[in-house]
Amino acid sequence: MTPREREVLGLIAVGANNKEIAEILYIAERTVKNHVTGILSRLNLRDRTQAAVFANSALPGDWWQEQTAVLRKHRGHA
């Protein structure tokens, strides 16, 4: 998985939608969709929910806190 796909996966796992991911990463929403498609294909997953479950079980705990902080800041809850 590419570093960008890991970033997208992390934001999916904490509940970010495609528009939020695009804004946070400064990329087009269509690019986010392409990354999501690549992630699902690469990991042989059906949907974003499975991707979130995978991320939460496979990635380290401090990663979760970092991604949550990024999303909260973006949503104005910092």
Side-chain angles (χ1 to χ4, degrees):
M1 190 175 322
T2 68
R4 182 61 96 186
E5 286 174 337
R6 281 193 290 277
E7 288 178 308
V8 171
L9 178 60
L11 290 165
I12 289 170
V14 295
N17 61 42
N18 287 353
K19 183 176 186 229
E20 290 172 321
I21 294 169
E23 291 170 354
I24 290 167
L25 299 179
Y26 301 102
I27 58 177
E29 195 169 343
R30 180 70 209 153
T31 303
V32 174
K33 291 177 185 180
N34 289 338
H35 286 310
V36 171
T37 299
I39 291 165
L40 297 179
S41 175
R42 193 177 309 250
L43 298 176
N44 197 28
L45 301 172
R46 285 190 317 257
D47 55 36
R48 293 170 75 95
T49 302
Q50 282 190 336
V53 170
F54 170 84
N56 287 313
S57 66
L59 297 173
D62 59 340
W63 160 92
W64 171 264
Q65 292 174 343
E66 291 170 16
Q67 296 301 308
T68 301
V70 167
L71 183 58
R72 287 181 56 82
K73 182 178 179 185
H74 176 74
R75 289 180 175 171
H77 300 290

